[in-house]
Structures are given as C-alpha cells and as structure tokens.
C-alpha cells in the first residue's frame, strides 16, 4: 500500500490512506485490527494491523511511560548499620515492583487534596531486619511489611509450573547489623521515573516479508551454492529441502533485514531472485510486564489513557468555540 | 545503635524537586518567595492548549500543548497531514525537559480555519483509539474462548 503512496505536490508530504477516498471505512480511516498471538501470566504478544506507524508508536510510548503504577518513593531510615549506605538501599527499594491492580483507587500525590500524605495517595510499609543469630542473612521483599490493609504488596513471581519463586533480594546483613526503615509507596508513571514503568519490555516491529524465486535459485545455483545460501542467513530464515535439493523459506518471521542473502544473490547474478522488505501496516508487539499489572491490562489501560488524553483536548477545544461536525 | 538516627531519602525526581523548593524558600528573601509562588500559580492555571497566531489570519497558527510530547505530536501530525486542505503541518518538542509540544499548522485559504482542521484531527484519533480499545477487548475475548475450547 505504501509503495504507491500519493505525494501532495504542494507539501511534498505523503498523502496516502487517510486523504484518499479509497480504502476508507465509514469512520474515515481504515478499520484497524488486533489479533492476540500469545498471552501468558507476564507476556502478551499481539498484532496491530491496518494502522500507521505513528499509532503503533504512540501505543508503545504510552505503555512504557504513561500507565500509572505504584512504587516506593519515600524512605525514612531509622537505623542502618549495614555495609550499604542509605541512598543505595533507598534506590533498590524504589525499583521493587509492587502489585498495582488497585492503582486506580489512589491519587497522584501532587493532585491529592491532602497537604503531604494520606491513605488516598500513599501506602506505608515497614522494613525491619536484624541479623542476630547467624553469620549472614538475606533481606528480601518478604521483610517488607504493610502497615495498612491496602492491597499493594511487593510482587511475588510465579514460574510456569505455578510454583512461587524466591522473593526479590534487597541486600545482605552480616552478624549484628540491622535495618529499620519506614517506606512510603506512591502512584506515578514512567515519565517521572522508570521505576513506575509497568513493563520490562515493550517492543514493536514490522512484520518482515521474504520472497525468493525458487525456480531461479534452484536452477541457477549448484547444490553446494544452494546450501551456502541457506547457511549464510544468521536467523535461519531459509531451509534446505534434502528430498528436492531445493532452497525453501522456513521462517520469514525471524528475518532481521541484515541483507546477507541479498548480497549473496547479487554476487551470483540473481538480483531479482531474493526480495526482503517489511510490511508497513502490520506491527507485532511484545509486551512483558514486570508483574505489577497483567500484560493485557497494561495494553487496555494504555488505550484508555490515549482516549482520555483526546477527550481532555476535545473539551479544551470547545473553549475556543469550534465546531467541526 | 541506641540513638535513633533519622534521615529521609527520596528516590525520584518529583521528590527531589520538593526538597529543592524547600531549600530555596529557606535561602531566599520574602520577595523571591512571592515571585516563586506566583510562578507556581501560573503553572497550575496554564491551559492544556494555547494558540499563537497573527490577528485576522485564521489560515495558520501554532498550537502549544502542555504536558504532551512525541506520543501525541507525531500521531497528530500524521493524521492532520493526510487532510487535503492542509498546506503544512509539523510538530516539535522545543526542549526535552519542558512539558511543551508545539504543532504548526497552515491550511489552504479555501479551508478557512486551522481550528477546524485541528479539531477534525483530534476527533479522528479519538475515534480510532475508541475503535482500538473495542478491538483489543474483542481480540482478548476471542483468544480466551479459543484457549478454553
């Protein structure tokens, strides 16, 4: 579709899909499609079709930096006789993921009606650990005790078999060292600090297209060369079929556009026999949650944030008395 | 170990800014403090969207969006540019640490007003995000049905 885009001569800018009347739905744009490929406890993979790169990128940016979560933000150190200094521990505490399924019931601290801190904008914890009877002890997220009944607690990871994994290690204490801290978790988003980002990974990529002219390759190259062609791809996109002695496309999805295959084809006078490209209207998203929210929740929250953003701007536009209906 | 040592450590940018304002107030004179408060008030009442344009000319304008960045800027530009009546549209974020995003918009004289075009663009994105939300929910239901079968 993008290969034939119209260029507006006045602006020099591409004037494809949205401006032209063809290919538009009733809503004035191509109907986007979403297909979920994989969904597990921490990872979601989905395809976004018939949209522009800018839409996909906005979604990606919102997922990373604008979905609110809870994280430890204020640490009051009462006692720290460990080997690590206060700021170092505070930083580590801040990065601990906290289950944020109920993040909506909290206010951002700068938008809360209270003067400094209240139950509507903060959750209090206590971290007290003493190493008295052993040579060494590990302080982990199980030592963080909530002081209220708010359902915000450190994330407990569960592996594929449903068994709980070890809690996150915060630090170690040696004999006679102790730690006594009050912790305050607040609501925030990844724009303020990355510790509030709900995702470990949020990547999107265009789907690769790989095409080969099988007749030409299997006719013009001898068997050794064909095997060489299959072997040179670092991502194992091609396979060698032993029965037919022929090159086949095994997994075009793995292609990373390194153009090794194109170079080989060019060197063997087969320029037109191999084609690689990327689809411009299909994006494959991989979103991996840190455990603070479920992955599908992160994506639907991100879409709602985009909607709310535009709603706010719409009401702002009304103030200027514009009607574009 | 007996004496309780107290110190507060804050680990985010917002928090460190709070500390900074406290310090500033301690160090500065009353006059400065008033000045700062006034600035804070201005910051709060600053509109989410403001227009800079020449009087009497509605065919071009620069819109300033508060608290927006490339997330909306690129999306908006790409939607607006697809309107045939638009002669020029571009966005910029003048400085990464300022929460401002500008959109420059010039339309053909036959179109008349940039506001119309901007509103149309915003509406289109709103509709699309509406559709996307719905589609995502449908896709999720479909996937769950498939898994439970």
């Amino acid at each position: 579709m993008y290969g034939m885009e119209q260029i507006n001569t006045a602006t020099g800018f591409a004037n494809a899909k949205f401006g032209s009347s063809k290919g538009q739905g009733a809503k004035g744009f191509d109907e986007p499609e979403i297909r979920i490929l994989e969904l597990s406890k921490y990872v979601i993979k989905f395809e976004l079709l018939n949209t522009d790169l800018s839409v996909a990128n906005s979604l990606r940016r919102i997922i990373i930096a604008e979905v609110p979560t809870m994280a430890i933000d204020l640490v009051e150190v009462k006692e720290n006789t460990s080997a690590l200094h206060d700021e170092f521990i505070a930083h580590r505490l801040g990065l601990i993921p906290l289950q944020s399924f109920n993040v909506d019931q909290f206010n951002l601290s700068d938008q809360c009606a209270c003067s400094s801190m209240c139950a509507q904008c903060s959750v209090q914890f206590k971290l007290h650990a003493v190493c008295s009877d052993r040579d060494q002890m590990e302080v982990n997220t199980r030592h963080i005790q909530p002081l209220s009944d708010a359902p915000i607690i450190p994330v407990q990871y569960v592996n594929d078999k449903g068994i709980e994994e070890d809690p996150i290690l915060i630090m170690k204490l040696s004999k006679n060292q102790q730690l006594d801290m009050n912790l305050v978790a607040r609501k925030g988003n990844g724009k303020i600090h990355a510790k509030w980002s709900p995702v470990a990974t949020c990547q999107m990529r265009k789907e690769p297209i790989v095409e080969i002219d099988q007749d030409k390759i299997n006719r013009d190259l001898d068997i050794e060369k064909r095997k060489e062609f299959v072997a040179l791809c670092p991502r194992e996109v091609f396979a060698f079929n032993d029965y037919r002695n022929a090159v086949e496309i095994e997994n075009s999805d793995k292609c990373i556009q390194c153009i090794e295959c194109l170079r080989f084809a060019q060197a063997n006078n087969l320029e037109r026999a191999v084609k690689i490209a990327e689809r411009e209207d299909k994006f494959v998203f991989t979103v991996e949650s840190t455990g603070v929210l479920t992955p599908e929740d992160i994506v639907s929250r991100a879409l709602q944030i985009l909607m709310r953003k535009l709603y706010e701007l719409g009401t702002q536009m009304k103030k200027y008395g514009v009607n574009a209906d | 170990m007996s004496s309780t040592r107290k110190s507060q450590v804050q680990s985010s940018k917002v928090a460190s800014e709070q500390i900074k304002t406290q310090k500033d107030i301690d160090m500065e004179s009353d006059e400065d403090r008033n000045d700062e408060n006034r600035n804070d008030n201005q910051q709060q009442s600053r509109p989410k969207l403001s227009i800079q344009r020449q009087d009497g000319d509605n065919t071009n304008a620069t819109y300033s969006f508060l608290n927006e960045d490339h997330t909306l800027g690129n999306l908006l530009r790409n939607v607006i540019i697809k309107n045939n009546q638009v002669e020029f549209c571009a966005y910029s974020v003048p400085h990464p640490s300022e929460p401002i995003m500008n959109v420059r918009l010039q339309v053909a004289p036959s179109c008349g007003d940039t506001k119309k075009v901007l509103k149309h663009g915003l509406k289109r994105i709103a509709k699309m995000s509406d559709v996307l939300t719905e589609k995502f929910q449908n896709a999720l239901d479909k996937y769950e049905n498939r898994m439970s079968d």
Side-chain angles (χ1 to χ4, degrees):
Chain A
M1 193 172 291
Y2 271 65
M4 299 181 291
E5 62 188 4
Q6 298 172 336
I7 305 292
N8 184 329
T9 46
T11 59
F13 284 115
N15 202 359
K17 268 189 284 178
F18 277 64
S20 61
S21 58
K22 60 180 174 183
Q24 280 187 7
K27 294 185 177 72
F29 50 85
D30 276 0
E31 190 94 327
E33 283 296 332
I34 294 178
R35 241 178 278 143
I36 290 167
L37 305 173
E38 246 180 83
L39 177 62
S40 62
K41 197 162 190 307
Y42 300 114
V43 185
I44 186 170
K45 282 187 187 170
F46 63 94
E47 290 174 339
L48 182 62
L49 291 102
N50 296 335
T51 50
D52 200 74
L53 176 66
S54 58
V55 178
N57 195 41
S58 289
L59 181 60
R60 185 190 63 86
R61 286 179 63 95
I62 292 172
I63 288 171
I64 292 173
E66 291 183 44
V67 176
T69 62
M70 300 293 286
I72 291 167
D73 192 34
L74 188 68
V75 177
E76 189 185 9
V77 185
K78 287 196 274 190
E79 184 78 63
N80 173 19
T81 48
S82 74
L84 303 175
H85 55 252
D86 300 355
E87 289 86 346
F88 187 89
I89 302 167
H91 179 244
R92 285 185 67 79
L93 289 166
L95 296 175
I96 293 169
L98 304 179
Q99 279 188 0
S100 307
F101 305 116
N102 292 294
V103 68
D104 290 339
Q105 71 186 53
F106 293 95
N107 295 326
L108 286 165
S109 60
D110 57 340
Q111 283 166 14
C112 192
C114 66
S115 57
S116 62
M117 216 186 277
C118 68
Q120 261 85 56
C121 66
S122 62
V123 185
Q124 311 241 8
F125 300 92
K126 214 174 82 152
L127 173 59
H128 184 65
V130 190
C131 179
S132 49
D133 52 349
R134 278 164 289 171
D135 279 348
Q136 200 182 59
M137 118 182 229
E138 291 188 347
V139 182
N140 59 42
T141 48
R142 291 226 176 98
H143 288 92
I144 297 178
Q145 296 297 327
L147 293 178
S148 61
D149 51 4
I152 305 288
I153 48 163
V155 167
Q156 174 64 57
Y157 290 107
V158 177
N159 67 13
D160 295 342
K161 289 167 195 142
I163 301 161
E164 283 195 354
E165 289 188 9
D166 292 342
I168 300 166
L169 178 68
I170 299 166
M171 60 183 297
K172 286 178 182 175
L173 293 176
S174 53
K175 196 158 192 180
N176 290 330
Q177 293 184 342
Q178 68 161 315
L179 207 58
D180 189 4
M181 296 171 159
N182 285 340
L183 321 174
V184 179
R186 288 191 182 127
K187 186 179 174 178
N189 63 37
K191 253 190 201 177
I192 308 167
H193 191 285
K195 70 183 174 185
W196 277 296
S197 182
V199 289
T201 330
C202 176
Q203 62 135 344
M204 95 213 175
R205 63 189 184 96
K206 293 175 185 165
E207 191 186 62
I209 307 167
V210 181
E211 282 169 12
I212 55 171
D213 186 340
Q214 287 210 16
D215 295 342
K216 211 166 177 190
I217 284 189
N218 294 323
R219 190 185 59 222
D220 292 5
L221 293 177
D222 58 43
I223 291 179
E224 281 310 303
K225 281 269 184 192
R226 278 178 231 163
K227 281 185 175 166
E228 198 185 322
F229 178 77
V230 169
L232 65 78
C233 178
R235 303 287 292 175
E236 295 170 345
V237 168
F238 307 106
F240 188 76
N241 188 322
D242 288 323
Y243 297 106
R244 289 175 53 221
N245 277 333
V247 177
E248 286 174 354
I249 296 172
E250 172 91 344
N251 196 347
S252 62
D253 246 10
K254 279 173 131 186
C255 178
I256 50 165
Q257 318 275 317
C258 70
I259 65 166
E260 280 297 318
C261 51
L262 289 188
R263 270 196 218 137
F264 179 88
Q266 218 156 24
N268 289 283
N269 295 322
L270 287 167
E271 277 95 349
R272 304 247 169 131
V274 184
K275 254 190 220 164
I276 56 171
E278 286 174 320
R279 270 187 73 169
E280 298 287 339
D281 58 347
K282 181 171 175 182
F283 304 92
V284 184
F285 274 77
T286 310
V287 180
E288 188 186 333
S289 163
T290 55
V292 296
L293 296 167
T294 60
E296 68 272 25
D297 203 18
I298 293 172
V299 181
S300 61
R301 272 168 200 257
L303 289 166
Q304 274 160 23
I305 288 166
L306 182 61
M307 270 165 70
R308 202 176 323 137
K309 208 189 261 279
L310 287 147
Y311 174 78
E312 273 170 31
L313 284 167
T315 49
Q316 191 70 41
M317 283 298 284
K318 270 193 196 126
K319 283 188 188 161
Y320 294 115
V322 189
N323 261 322
D325 294 317
Chain B
M1 209 184 281
S2 57
S3 71
T4 312
R5 186 163 51 94
K6 271 196 168 187
S7 69
Q8 289 200 330
V9 185
Q10 270 168 314
S11 50
S12 80
K13 194 179 151 198
V14 177
S16 63
E17 269 170 11
Q18 277 171 5
I19 291 179
K20 204 179 137 207
T21 22
Q22 274 171 9
K23 270 185 195 158
D24 286 349
I25 289 169
D26 289 341
M27 287 188 295
E28 284 165 3
S29 65
D30 281 5
E31 212 175 310
D32 288 334
R33 199 190 300 169
N34 287 340
D35 227 32
E36 198 170 75
N37 285 344
R38 215 179 303 139
N39 279 339
D40 279 355
N41 288 340
Q42 270 180 1
Q43 194 90 22
Q44 269 166 15
S45 63
R46 242 161 96 189
K48 177 101 182 123
L49 176 60
S50 57
I51 309 181
Q52 294 141 42
R53 64 159 36 136
Q54 280 177 322
D55 287 337
D57 188 4
N58 288 340
T59 58
N60 64 76
T62 302
Y63 294 91
S64 287
F65 293 78
L66 190 66
N67 289 329
E68 292 299 343
D69 54 11
H70 304 275
T71 306
L72 186 74
N74 191 25
L75 186 54
L76 193 57
R77 192 212 83 115
N78 274 289
V79 169
I80 289 176
I81 208 75
K82 281 161 186 160
N83 187 328
N84 283 331
Q85 290 174 310
V86 174
E87 284 182 347
F88 180 84
C89 182
Y91 84 98
S92 76
V93 178
H95 194 281
S97 61
E98 274 176 38
I100 303 281
M101 188 267 295
N102 293 330
V103 174
R104 173 78 185 157
L105 186 52
Q106 292 172 16
V107 296
S110 60
C111 170
D113 202 335
T114 52
K115 285 180 196 166
K116 255 193 219 167
V117 174
L118 180 67
K119 176 130 190 184
H120 196 65
L122 287 171
K123 268 202 166 163
R124 209 167 245 199
I125 305 172
K127 262 188 207 164
M128 192 161 55
S129 57
D130 216 10
V131 172
L132 278 176
T133 311
E134 200 188 306
K135 293 265 173 176
F136 184 74
Q137 214 51 52
N138 289 347
L140 212 57
D141 294 345
K142 228 185 195 171
Y143 183 84
E144 271 158 16
N145 283 339
R146 196 156 29 121
M147 287 296 112
S148 60
D149 281 347

